[in-house]
Amino acid sequence: MSETTRITVTLPSEQVAELKKLTDNVSGFVAQAVARKIRHHLVGEDLLRYEEEHGEFTEEELAEARSRMFGSDAAGWSDVA
C-alpha cells in the first residue's frame, strides 16, 4: 500500500450527500477522482508540448484518436472538438 497523508477537504453539503450515496469509501473515491484529474492534466501538457514541437493535430489525426478512444461511438465528435 502506498503512503498516505490525511488532509481536510471542504465540499458543499449536497455533494457530500450524493457522494455517500455512491460509496462507503469516500477517501478512496476522492483519491481516484484526484488521480484521474492529475492524469488528465499531464496528458494535456504532453499534447500541448507535442503540438508546439510538431504543429497542430490534423483533423485526420483527431478523428483517428477519437476512434481509438471511443470506437464507432466517436462519430459526430468532430463537431464538438
Side-chain angles (χ1 to χ4, degrees):
M1 183 176 186
S2 64
E3 185 178 335
T4 61
T5 301
R6 179 181 290 266
I7 64 169
T8 300
V9 177
T10 303
L11 298 170
S13 298
E14 300 82 22
Q15 287 183 352
V16 173
E18 291 301 316
L19 184 56
K20 288 183 177 183
K21 289 178 188 177
L22 296 173
T23 184
D24 292 332
N25 183 358
V26 173
S27 291
F29 190 96
V30 171
Q32 287 178 353
V34 170
R36 186 171 45 252
K37 185 68 173 181
I38 290 170
R39 282 191 308 274
H40 179 82
H41 177 78
L42 294 174
V43 166
E45 285 183 339
D46 285 345
L47 292 173
L48 286 175
R49 243 187 325 275
Y50 180 90
E51 284 188 316
E52 287 172 358
E53 192 172 317
H54 302 282
E56 290 187 23
F57 291 102
T58 65
E59 284 303 316
E60 293 79 19
E61 290 170 324
L62 294 172
E64 182 179 348
R66 286 185 200 100
S67 177
R68 287 181 179 206
M69 289 188 308
F70 304 109
S72 61
D73 293 340
W77 273 67
S78 59
D79 298 336
V80 177

